[in-house]
C-alpha cells in the first residue's frame, strides 16, 4: 500500500479550505525520528515520523487548532507493462479502526542480468497483509476499484492539540501485523523513546 498524498483541511465558518500536499516549513532529523513543522494560516502542525523496533512506520501529528487531514492510498501495482495480473483485496476493518490490504498479483521479474532473463513471477508482496491504523476514528472512508485487483482508498482524521497517531505495517501474517501496529498506535511515545 502506498499512502501518496495527504491534504490538510481547516474548517472555518462552515467553509473547508484545502491545502494539497503542503510542504513543511521546518524539518529536524533526530536519531530516533524526523520532526516536521507546517505553518498554514494560524495552524502550527507538528509531525513526528518514526519507525518502531517492530517495523511499524508511524507519524504522530498535533495542531494548535483543530484540523482534518485526508489521506489517500492504493494497493501496490507497479509498472503496468510488467504487471501481468493483480488480485489485491481492500477492506475497512471497523472493529480495529484499520484499512486492511492483502496484496497479490503476478509480474515480470528480471532474474538474471547478463544475459538479461525475464520470467513471470509472483508479486514480491503476494499474500502479505498491509494495515493502516489510527488511534483516532478513521472517518469518511471510501474505496474505489481502479482496475481488476487494484484499489484506492481515502479517509480523514481529526488532528488537534491532543495528537493523532497514524501507522502502517506489512507482514506475512495478519495477526502479527495487527498486534505490532496496535502496540505502536496505543503507545507511540514508548516506541519513539525506545529507538
Amino acid at each position: 500500500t502506498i499512502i501518496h498524498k495527504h491534504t490538510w483541511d481547516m474548517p472555518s465558518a462552515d467553509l473547508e479550505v484545502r491545502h494539497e500536499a503542503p510542504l513543511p516549513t521546518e524539518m529536524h532529523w533526530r536519531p530516533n525520528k524526523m520532526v516536521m513543522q507546517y505553518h498554514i494560516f494560524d495552524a502550527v502542525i507538528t509531525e513526528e515520523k518514526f519507525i518502531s523496533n517492530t517495523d511499524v512506520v508511524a507519524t504522530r501529528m498535533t495542531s494548535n487548532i483543530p484540523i482534518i487531514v485526508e489521506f489517500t492510498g492504493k494497493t501496490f501495482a507497479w509498472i503496468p507493462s510488467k504487471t501481468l495480473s493483480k488480485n489485491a483485496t481492500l477492506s475497512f476493518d471497523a472493529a480495529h479502526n484499520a484499512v486492511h490490504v492483502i496484496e497479490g498479483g503476478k509480474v515480470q521479474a528480471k532474474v538474471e542480468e547478463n544475459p538479461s532473463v525475464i520470467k513471470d513471477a509472483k508479486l514480491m508482496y503476494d499474500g502479505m497483509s498491509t494495515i493502516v491504523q489510527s488511534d483516532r476514528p478513521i472517518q469518511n472512508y471510501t474505496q474505489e476499484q481502479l482496475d481488476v485487483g487494484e484499489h484506492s482508498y481515502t479517509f480523514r482524521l481529526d488532528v488537534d492539540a491532543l495528537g493523532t497517531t497514524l501507522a502502517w505495517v506489512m507482514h506475512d501474517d495478519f495477526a502479527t501485523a495487527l498486534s505490532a501496529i496496535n502496540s505502536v498506535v496505543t503507545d507511540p511515545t514508548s516506541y519513539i523513546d525506545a529507538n
Side-chain angles (χ1 to χ4, degrees):
T1 300
I2 304 165
I3 297 180
H4 59 83
K5 176 181 94 170
H6 58 271
T7 303
W8 310 100
D9 288 335
M10 294 181 210
S12 175
D14 294 327
L15 296 175
E16 187 175 273
V17 180
R18 295 177 67 86
H19 297 274
E20 299 274 337
L23 298 174
T25 52
E26 297 178 36
M27 289 177 63
H28 304 280
W29 291 92
R30 302 288 183 256
N32 59 341
K33 63 185 174 184
M34 182 173 69
V35 179
M36 302 169 78
Q37 199 165 74
Y38 306 82
H39 296 265
I40 302 171
F41 294 123
D42 293 333
V44 178
I45 302 135
T46 302
E47 186 176 16
E48 294 179 279
K49 298 180 178 196
F50 65 96
I51 300 173
S52 75
N53 57 1
T54 56
D55 292 329
V56 175
V57 178
T59 185
R60 181 86 178 142
M61 300 167 281
T62 58
S63 177
N64 65 323
I65 61 174
I67 63 169
I68 298 165
V69 183
E70 182 175 282
F71 295 89
T72 302
K74 65 181 287 304
T75 55
F76 187 87
W78 202 239
I79 304 167
S81 64
K82 305 240 186 266
T83 302
L84 302 172
S85 67
K86 299 171 277 191
N87 63 347
T89 62
L90 171 65
S91 62
F92 179 67
D93 181 344
H96 296 105
N97 190 47
V99 177
H100 181 207
V101 175
I102 301 174
E103 297 290 0
K106 290 192 176 197
V107 295
Q108 289 187 323
K110 185 183 278 188
V111 295
E112 196 170 318
E113 187 65 41
N114 194 7
S116 181
V117 177
I118 309 283
K119 298 273 186 180
D120 294 353
K122 270 189 190 180
L123 177 70
M124 63 191 156
Y125 302 126
D126 190 79
M128 294 183 78
S129 280
T130 298
I131 302 172
V132 178
Q133 185 183 54
S134 179
D135 62 342
R136 304 279 289 264
I138 289 176
Q139 302 173 49
N140 301 96
Y141 174 83
T142 60
Q143 67 184 54
E144 178 183 356
Q145 182 169 327
L146 303 173
D147 195 3
V148 174
E150 182 179 357
H151 310 274
S152 69
Y153 57 88
T154 301
F155 63 86
R156 291 176 163 206
L157 292 173
D158 290 327
V159 176
D160 53 29
L162 297 175
T164 301
T165 300
L166 178 67
W168 174 98
V169 70
M170 179 180 250
H171 199 278
D172 291 311
D173 179 65
F174 173 73
T176 302
L178 187 61
S179 175
I181 201 167
N182 277 333
S183 296
V184 171
V185 164
T186 56
D187 187 15
T189 304
S190 70
Y191 284 90
I192 293 172
D193 294 342
N195 283 340

